Amino acid sequence: MEAQLRQNRHRLGSDPAAYGLPAYWTQVLVLFEIHRRIRHEEPVGEDQLSLLSPLYRGLVEQRWPNTAPAPAAV
């Protein structure tokens, strides 16, 4: 599946836990999906970012600041 994500031949569904992988590998798949979206200039939304643990989400937002959702207006 990694190769398919890297080659833009597969998109990760909205429930990556359905693949039956351990939590760590599910996180890796979500990271691949986010990276695929960034490389192919597709939007990365809150729905993808919310699938990540806070650590990985913070790293993604630090590396690609444009992926972070806009802060809510106060």
Side-chain angles (χ1 to χ4, degrees), residues 7-8 12-13 15 26 35 48 52 58 60-61 65 74:
Q7 296 167 0
N8 200 30
L12 197 62
D15 183 17
T26 301
H35 189 257
Q48 288 86 31
L52 292 173
V60 166
E61 290 176 344
V74 179

Side-chain angles (χ1 to χ4, degrees), residues 2-74:
E2 174 218 346
Q4 291 175 338
L5 285 169
R6 287 183 184 265
Q7 296 167 0
N8 200 30
R9 294 186 323 201
H10 182 74
R11 292 171 184 252
L12 197 62
S14 61
D15 183 17
Y19 291 101
L21 296 171
Y24 170 80
W25 290 110
T26 301
Q27 292 288 291
V28 171
L29 281 181
V30 173
L31 287 168
F32 278 130
E33 172 63 13
I34 289 172
H35 189 257
R36 183 196 67 75
R37 288 174 176 257
I38 291 167
R39 284 188 47 130
H40 296 282
E41 299 179 1
E42 296 178 23
V44 176
E46 178 62 30
D47 41 330
Q48 288 86 31
L49 292 172
S50 67
L51 296 171
L52 292 173
S53 71
L55 172 67
Y56 293 138
R57 180 182 176 138
L59 291 171
V60 166
E61 290 176 344
Q62 183 178 11
R63 172 63 179 91
W64 295 287
N66 292 338
T67 62
V74 179

